[in-house]
Amino acid sequence: MKTQPAQSEFEENTNPVLKHIYSVTQQFSVYILSSVNDALLYIGQTENLQSKVWLHKKRTTDHLGLTIFEQKLVYVEQFDNVIDARTREQELTMLPEIDLRKLITTNNPKWDDLFEFV
């Protein structure tokens, strides 16, 4: 009689869909959103870029009820781990606005909305 190899507790108690999600290599993104008139910039970090940017675009008010500017995705960097992504997000946050604008212009000269490519 053949015996089955023991499964880990995770494999035994996890939904097959969740097992697939956890097995996929995660990509972490640092992104910059801009107002439609390019006056305001927002820097963020996420492990699900498409979903996060979609939520940004969908929201029209913040937690205080103030109107949020219409946003477009103008810059993205990808990382294999969350530590590098968070470090880069902090670096970008510390940059003067003029340097952020140069970075965006170098990679996205027309400041197009990159959301459709995510």
Side-chain angles (χ1 to χ4, degrees):
M1 173 189 245
K2 286 187 174 181
T3 60
Q4 297 266 344
Q7 290 183 319
S8 72
E9 187 176 319
F10 175 80
E11 290 174 339
E12 290 174 357
N13 299 321
T14 305
N15 173 320
V17 173
L18 290 179
K19 279 198 278 189
H20 172 71
I21 290 170
Y22 287 117
S23 69
V24 173
T25 303
Q26 287 184 307
Q27 278 256 300
F28 299 90
S29 303
V30 175
Y31 60 93
I32 301 176
L33 298 175
S34 171
S35 58
V36 174
N37 64 1
D38 301 329
L40 300 172
L41 299 176
Y42 173 84
I43 300 168
Q45 177 267 320
T46 184
E47 59 188 77
N48 188 336
L49 182 63
Q50 187 176 23
S51 175
K52 187 69 169 185
V53 173
W54 183 83
L55 288 173
H56 278 289
K57 287 177 162 290
K58 183 179 174 204
R59 280 184 42 198
T60 55
T61 59
D62 67 7
H63 65 284
L64 299 174
L66 300 172
T67 301
I68 295 177
F69 58 90
E70 189 176 339
Q71 301 166 64
K72 60 183 179 176
L73 178 65
V74 292
Y75 183 79
V76 178
E77 287 184 32
Q78 300 285 336
F79 297 88
D80 291 329
N81 65 71
V82 70
I83 295 169
D84 291 344
R86 286 185 181 155
T87 301
R88 181 59 173 157
E89 178 189 20
Q90 291 169 351
E91 289 171 359
L92 292 177
T93 303
M94 299 303 291
L95 283 177
E97 186 175 338
I98 192 163
D99 291 341
L100 280 175
R101 291 181 177 281
K102 285 179 187 175
L103 178 67
I104 295 166
T105 302
T106 300
N107 293 283
N108 184 2
K110 294 181 181 179
W111 286 55
D112 293 325
D113 190 352
L114 304 175
F115 183 65
E116 64 186 71
F117 301 109
V118 186

